[in-house]
Structure formats: C-alpha cells, structure tokens
C-alpha cells in the first residue's frame, strides 16, 4: 500500500522542501499556506492523485463503520484535551471541527450519537473534551468525554435559550473598527453601524473588485484589532492577491475562503452559538454571486451580546444599513442606516444626512474627504 510521503510532508518536515514538493504535485499557492495547512493540502492532493489511500480521518468511514468507533473495545484512552465546534452528520453523530473549513481535516474528532444526544449538542457548539484514538490503518480521533460546552462545565450547564428565542433589543452601541481604509471610514463615520446591525455593500462587479476586496480585508483586520468578541469571515471568489493578504489574519476556526454552501450554513450556526453563550460576534462576508440573505437576517442585538454582519455582494439584500458601489464610485444617495438615530443619537443622525445632501458620488476616498470637510465647516 502506498504511504504518505512523510519525508517530504508532515510533522518535522522542512517547509521549504515541502513547498517545492507541493508545487510539483499541483497544490495551489503553497507559499501562502502555514505549515499545518500545507501539510493538509499536500495530503489532500496525494489522495486525489492516488499516492496514498490510507484512512487518516473520520470522513473515510461509512455510517456503519462510524458507529463502532465509540466502542471502548477499540478506543485507547488519551490524556489529550481538545477543543472543537460540533458539526453533525445526517445520522445524528458528528465531528468536532478543529480546523472547520478544510476539505479533509485529519485532526477532526468523531462524536458518537450517544454523546451528542446526552449533551444536546447543536451545530456550532464549542466543545472541550478528552480524546482517544482508534488504530485502523492510521489513527482516528474519538471524543471520549465532555468537559465544557459553550464555556460551561458539562456537569452544571444552565438552561439553553436558542438564538431565535433570545429577545432582540434596539442596537445602541456603535461598532469600532480600526484602520484607514476609506470604506471603513464611511461605515464608521457616515453610516454609524451599530453592534447587532446588518450592512450590505452591494454593486460588486469586475470594475470595483479591487476596491471591494481591499475594503473587505481591511474591515476584517480592523475587527480583529478592535472588536471584543468573535470575528468571522467568508471570502468567496477572491483574487490570489487578496488570498495572500488574508494569510496574515486567517483564523481557521472562524474563516472560510472559497467554501461550500454547507460550510457557510455551519459558520452561521457558529455565530448564533457565540451569541447564545453571551460572546458578541461580528462577520465580514465577501460573497459575490452567493445568497447572503440568511446572514443579514440573523443580525441581532440582545441584552447580553450581539451579531453584527457586514456583507459585500452583487445582490440587493434587505438590511438595516446599505451602501451601493457604482463601478468605482460610491452612490451617496444609497448611504442609509435605518437605525442610525438609535446608535449615534437623533441630533447627529440629522446632521449626517443634512451634510450628505451636499456630497456627490465619488470614490470612497473622495466621499469621505468631502464629508469630513463639510462637517468641519
């Protein structure tokens, strides 16, 4: 049986040598990947080419084979404690996604139907537990017991209130985003986006792709630096240059780049679970050609936390705040935040839109500069 090329890939291998090997077998953009993600990309490509056929992860098993994995006769006890996000299979069992958005993540941990039912696990739950291994052709990881679910000890969890049942409140706090991008300035100074609101920046096309991609990356970086909560991102169909820019901020547990619809749905569930455990969440979604309505509709402020969503898309999606790109220009009349008066005050709200009436369409830099000039006058 063919073996994984461990002398070139995997733990302890030289990353420069591995990158050269990755190029030879056709791995995309190996120089932009971290060591862990490069190992996985090489493994995945070797599976595609038939270099190796060994079972390295839970996805190699059928539903019937999975059911035997929780048996004490097979699983060896381990002192290793791991954290992951629960993602169910249709049969009710599931996995903890430690690197949720990789195609074949070999470190994912199997969760038996018994454990999932015992603790009432929902998609996106953050689970901490002890892990054992099953020696088949290789080592498959299995969750043996649960210590925490959504930051609470498994032995004394409070009653869960589902996201959809948490009462919404009127957003009253503006979201802070560090950075100098002009679109970011428009979001903060003109739209005054509040925590728990949704913003849609529409009109994406080939003529403004660079502006939109740069804005999306800067918004994500700015949130990572300033937002006190969990930051999520989806980047669908972005350029290689954008992918490279993201390599410095990617958090594999909360980021998707060129993913699948079921991964997007799973990320939305993770956002909801974050709010349920009273941890504010914010998301930047670059989704041209994708349906973004469910994300915009989920934005909500509660008494304990909030879910704020910024979407860049080519669609017209209902949202509380809106901005439209017209080629490389900002369509000023489209700058609307229906909840701005609640977030920044009635008086400031009136002043903002009085000043906007004197600002014409322009590039993001021009609009922000003209608005700032008129405000100072």
């Amino acid at each position: 049986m063919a073996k994984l090329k461990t002398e070139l890939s995997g733990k302890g291998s030289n990353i420069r040598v591995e990158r050269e090997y990755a190029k030879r077998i056709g791995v995309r953009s190996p120089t932009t990947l971290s060591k862990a993600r490069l190992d996985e990309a090489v493994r995945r490509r070797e599976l595609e080419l038939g270099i190796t056929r060994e079972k390295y992860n839970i996805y190699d098993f059928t539903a019937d084979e999975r059911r035997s994995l929780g048996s004490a006769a097979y699983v060896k006890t381990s002192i290793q404690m791991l954290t992951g996000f629960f993602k169910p299979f249709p049969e009710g069992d599931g996995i903890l996604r430690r690197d949720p958005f990789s195609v074949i993540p070999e470190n994912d941990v199997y969760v038996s139907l018994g454990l999932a039912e015992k603790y009432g696990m929902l998609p996106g739950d953050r689970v901490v537990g002890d892990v054992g291994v099953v020696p088949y052709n290789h080592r498959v990881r299995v969750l043996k017991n649960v210590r925490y679910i959504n930051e609470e000890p498994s032995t004394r969890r409070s009653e869960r209130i589902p996201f959809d049942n948490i009462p919404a409140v009127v957003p009253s706090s503006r979201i802070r985003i560090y950075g100098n991008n002009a679109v970011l300035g428009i979001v903060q100074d003109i739209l005054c986006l509040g925590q728990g609101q949704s913003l849609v920046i529409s009109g994406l096309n080939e003529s403004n792709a660079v502006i939109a991609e740069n804005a999306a990356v800067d918004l994500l970086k700015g949130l990572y630096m300033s937002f006190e909560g969990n930051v999520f991102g989806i980047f669908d169909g972005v350029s290689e240059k954008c992918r490279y820019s993201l390599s410095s901020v990617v958090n594999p547990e909360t980021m998707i780049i060129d993913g699948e619809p079921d991964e997007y749905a799973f990320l939305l569930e993770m956002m909801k679970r974050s709010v349920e455990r009273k941890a504010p969440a914010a998301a930047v979604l670059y989704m041209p050609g994708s349906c973004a309505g469910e994300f915009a509709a989920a934005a909500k402020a509660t008494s304990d936390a909030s879910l704020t969503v910024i979407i860049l898309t080519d669609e017209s999606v209902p949202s509380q705040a809106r901005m439209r790109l017209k080629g490389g220009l900002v369509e000023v009349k489209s700058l609307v935040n229906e909840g701005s008066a609640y977030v920044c005050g009635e008086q400031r709200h009136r002043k903002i839109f009085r000043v906007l009436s004197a600002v014409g369409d322009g590039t993001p830099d021009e609009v922000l500069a003209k608005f700032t000039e008129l405000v100072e006058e």
Side-chain angles (χ1 to χ4, degrees):
M1 181 179 289
K3 299 291 184 182
L4 184 68
K5 299 293 185 179
T6 52
E7 72 277 10
L8 299 177
S9 175
K11 187 176 181 180
S13 63
N14 184 293
I15 190 169
R16 292 184 179 179
V17 174
E18 185 175 3
R19 281 174 173 163
E20 289 300 318
Y21 172 62
K23 289 179 182 178
R24 292 201 303 272
I25 64 174
V27 173
R28 291 181 59 187
S29 308
T31 57
T32 66
L33 301 176
S34 66
K35 183 66 169 68
R37 295 182 73 84
L38 180 62
D39 289 342
E40 183 184 335
V42 168
R43 157 70 178 161
R44 183 166 65 248
R45 184 59 177 158
E46 288 182 328
L47 281 170
E48 292 171 354
L49 297 176
I51 296 174
T52 178
R53 291 185 175 83
E54 293 188 359
K55 292 184 177 181
Y56 275 73
N57 62 76
I58 190 61
Y59 305 100
D60 291 330
F61 296 87
T62 66
D64 289 336
E65 289 175 330
R66 292 200 310 267
R67 277 191 283 272
S68 70
L69 293 179
S71 170
Y74 294 104
V75 181
K76 294 183 178 180
T77 302
S78 169
I79 60 172
Q80 189 174 22
M81 186 169 67
L82 296 177
T83 302
F85 297 90
F86 179 66
K87 183 177 182 181
F89 291 119
E91 294 79 12
D93 56 345
I95 42 87
L96 295 186
R97 303 220 65 181
R98 298 192 61 228
D99 187 354
F101 312 121
S102 301
V103 178
I104 307 177
E106 294 169 8
N107 287 331
D108 283 355
V109 176
Y110 177 66
V111 180
S112 67
L113 178 60
L115 279 180
E117 290 182 339
K118 178 179 179 180
Y119 295 101
M121 294 184 191
L122 295 179
D125 275 344
R126 188 175 186 273
V127 179
V128 180
D130 296 315
V131 173
V133 294
V134 179
Y136 274 71
N137 292 339
H138 199 63
R139 291 154 60 91
V140 177
R141 300 184 179 194
V142 176
L143 186 67
K144 290 294 293 178
N145 59 64
V146 175
R147 292 175 180 255
Y148 298 90
I149 294 183
N150 293 332
E151 320 299 340
E152 292 192 10
S154 59
T155 54
R156 63 170 198 275
R157 292 185 296 128
S158 59
E159 183 178 351
R160 162 177 280 178
I161 302 177
F163 177 84
D164 293 338
N165 295 344
I166 300 176
V169 300
V170 177
S172 58
S173 300
R174 289 172 62 186
I175 196 164
R176 290 191 309 156
I177 315 174
Y178 291 166
N180 298 315
N181 185 284
V183 171
L184 189 155
I186 291 172
V187 171
Q188 291 209 110
D189 299 336
I190 300 179
L191 290 175
C192 299
L193 188 67
Q195 292 190 29
Q197 290 189 310
S198 58
L199 162 65
V200 169
I201 302 174
S202 60
L204 267 63
N205 55 46
E206 291 183 2
S207 66
N208 56 36
V210 173
I211 292 175
E213 286 184 353
N214 289 341
V217 172
D218 284 344
L219 284 164
L220 186 74
K221 288 180 177 180
L223 285 171
Y224 271 128
M225 289 189 290
S226 61
F227 184 70
E228 295 183 0
N230 294 315
V231 179
F232 298 84
I234 293 178
F235 287 78
D236 191 359
V238 293
S239 65
E240 287 297 322
K241 184 177 180 180
C242 181
R243 292 172 67 93
Y244 182 78
S245 297
L246 288 169
S247 64
S248 63
V249 295
V250 165
N251 178 349
E253 291 187 342
T254 58
M255 172 81 72
I256 304 173
I257 301 177
D258 295 332
E260 299 295 332
D262 72 311
E263 295 173 334
Y264 299 162
F266 180 53
L267 190 71
L268 180 56
E269 293 300 318
M270 289 174 63
M271 295 178 194
K272 293 179 179 180
R273 301 295 89 77
S274 178
V275 174
E276 288 176 2
R277 61 179 183 264
K278 301 179 182 180
V284 177
L285 317 176
Y286 183 94
M287 305 176 73
S290 300
C291 180
E294 290 186 11
F295 287 92
K300 180 164 69 172
T302 75
S303 58
D304 297 310
S306 63
L307 171 56
T308 309
V309 182
I310 303 173
I311 303 169
L312 296 92
T313 182
D314 54 2
E315 301 178 351
S316 178
V317 178
S319 59
Q320 291 153 311
R322 294 179 290 278
M323 169 179 166
R324 179 171 176 79
L325 295 175
K326 196 174 181 181
L329 307 180
V330 175
E331 196 176 75
V332 172
K333 66 179 181 181
S334 73
L335 292 173
V336 175
N337 183 354
E338 296 167 357
S340 174
Y342 299 108
V343 176
C344 64
E346 188 70 45
Q347 187 175 5
R348 178 176 168 80
H349 171 80
R350 287 198 298 268
K351 287 181 178 179
I352 287 173
F353 289 96
R354 188 164 62 246
V355 170
L356 273 183
S357 64
V359 178
D361 294 353
T363 66
D365 290 290
E366 291 169 347
V367 170
L368 187 60
K370 183 64 174 176
F371 176 83
T372 303
E373 176 188 334
L374 291 174
V375 168
E376 289 175 350
E377 288 180 359

